[in-house]
Structures are given as structure tokens and as C-alpha cells.
């Protein structure tokens, strides 16, 4: 059985290797930062909480148990840490209140351009379609297609069932399909 480079780095980090910790930090910081911005809508809070999260990991490396999937473990753990910070700062009482606030989960043109080459018009239309989805649907799509997590990992990150992830993706795509078809029909009827 072959051990992934991430798992190998993780094992060396747990054993106290500073270079392994540095490599993990450099590799996962941008992904976790982007995800944190999506949740919090606040760059400085995201950066502070992410720095604290990595400090916590380093200080508690000896107490961390077996980690099967490093990427999903980091997403799950960071999401929990960030939601705790948001609860403290904003006095929210639940995940739903945090995620349904006006800042929760918005896609940007820059993200879309970094993932695919499209014209400005298509990018704008797609962003409008994506942003018309519910917060939970946007988060599942972000984790699946922008963070490259498997559905089982998304279920773990969001603390929902695998079936809920599948259902949410299906609902999101059905909405996107219906809205894009409606927009196309509208363009044909009203040139």
C-alpha cells in the first residue's frame, strides 16, 4: 500500500519535523484561507483564525490521533475553529445563522477565472447562477469543485451525511440547469 505525500508529510509533522510542518502550512494555507473567507466574509478574522489554527496544530501534534485523509481533516478542523471564532465575535448561536448572514459564501469572478477560461459575459452569468443557490448548495459546490474534496470528505467537513451531499449537489445542478434554461429562453424571446 502506497502512502500519499500528504500523509507522509503529516506523519513527519506529528513526529516533530519542522520542515514537514512548514510544507503542510504552505500547501494547505491558501486552500483553507479561501474556504475561510467564503464562510466568514472577513479577511482579517480568517487570517487570524487560520494562524491560530496552525499554532494549535503544532502545539498539540502529540495529541492528534490517526488521520486517514489529511486534507479533509484540516478542512473539518479549521471549519470548526472558524465557526467557534465567528460565534464568539458575532454572538451567533448556530451554523445556520452564521452561514445565512449576508456575507456567507459568495463566488467571485477571480475564482471562476482561476478554474476555467470563459468570456467575461459567461463568467458573470455563471457567477449570478451560482450565487442564486442556497448557502449550503454553494458550500458543497465550492468544496467539490474548487477544493477538490470527495463527497465523503465533504460530508465529514460539513458534518452531514454522504447522501445529503449527493442530494444537495443534485438539487443545486437542477436549479442551475433550470435557471440557465430560463435565461437562454429569455434571451431568445427578448433579444
Amino acid at each position: 500500500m502506497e502512502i500519499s505525500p500528504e500523509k507522509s508529510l503529516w506523519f513527519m509533522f506529528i513526529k516533530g519535523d519542522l520542515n514537514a510542518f512548514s510544507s503542510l502550512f504552505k500547501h494547505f494555507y491558501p486552500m483553507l484561507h479561501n474556504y475561510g473567507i467564503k464562510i466568514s466574509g472577513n479577511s482579517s478574522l480568517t487570517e487570524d483564525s487560520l494562524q491560530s489554527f496552525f499554532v494549535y496544530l503544532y502545539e498539540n501534534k502529540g495529541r492528534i490521533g490517526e488521520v486517514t485523509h489529511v486534507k479533509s481533516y484540516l478542512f473539518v478542523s479549521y471549519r470548526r475553529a472558524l465557526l467557534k471564532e465567528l460565534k464568539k465575535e458575532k454572538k451567533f448561536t448556530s451554523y445556520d445563522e452564521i452561514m445565512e448572514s449576508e456575507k456567507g459564501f459568495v463566488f467571485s469572478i477571480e475564482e471562476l477565472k482561476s478554474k476555467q477560461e470563459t468570456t467575461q459575459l459567461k463568467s458573470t452569468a455563471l457567477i449570478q447562477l451560482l450565487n442564486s443557490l442556497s448557502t449550503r448548495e454553494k458550500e458543497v459546490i465550492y468544496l467539490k469543485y474548487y477544493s477538490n474534496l470527495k463527497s465523503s470528505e465533504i460530508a465529514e467537513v460539513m458534518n452531514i451525511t454522504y447522501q445529503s451531499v449527493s442530494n444537495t449537489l443534485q438539487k443545486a445542478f437542477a436549479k442551475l440547469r433550470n435557471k440557465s434554461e430560463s435565461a437562454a429562453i429569455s434571451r431568445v424571446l427578448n433579444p
Side-chain angles (χ1 to χ4, degrees), residues 29-39 46 50 105 111 142:
Y29 186 93
M31 284 183 258
L32 293 171
H33 184 268
N34 289 338
Y35 184 52
I37 292 286
K38 293 289 175 205
I39 292 173
T46 298
L50 193 51
F105 243 90
E111 274 174 334
Y142 182 84

Side-chain angles (χ1 to χ4, degrees), residues 173-184:
F173 287 129
K175 283 182 184 177
L176 291 172
R177 192 170 26 260
N178 290 337
K179 289 180 181 191
S180 66
E181 288 170 0
S182 296

Side-chain angles (χ1 to χ4, degrees), residues 99-159:
M99 293 306 286
E100 295 302 330
S101 72
E102 69 283 349
K103 298 176 192 170
F105 243 90
V106 177
F107 286 95
S108 68
I109 289 176
E110 291 76 28
E111 274 174 334
L112 197 56
K113 284 182 180 177
S114 73
K115 290 292 179 179
Q116 64 190 26
E117 293 179 12
T118 59
T119 63
Q120 180 66 29
L121 186 58
K122 287 181 183 176
S123 294
T124 302
L126 183 55
I127 287 167
Q128 288 173 343
L129 287 171
L130 287 170
N131 285 330
S132 72
L133 298 173
S134 74
T135 303
R136 187 169 295 264
E137 290 165 342
K138 287 187 275 190
E139 185 173 7
V140 168
I141 286 176
Y142 182 84
L143 291 171
K144 179 87 173 162
Y145 297 103
Y146 291 85
S147 297
N148 299 317
L149 293 179
K150 298 175 188 163
S151 293
S152 59
E153 295 171 322
I154 295 168
E156 189 178 342
V157 169
M158 294 180 66
N159 196 26

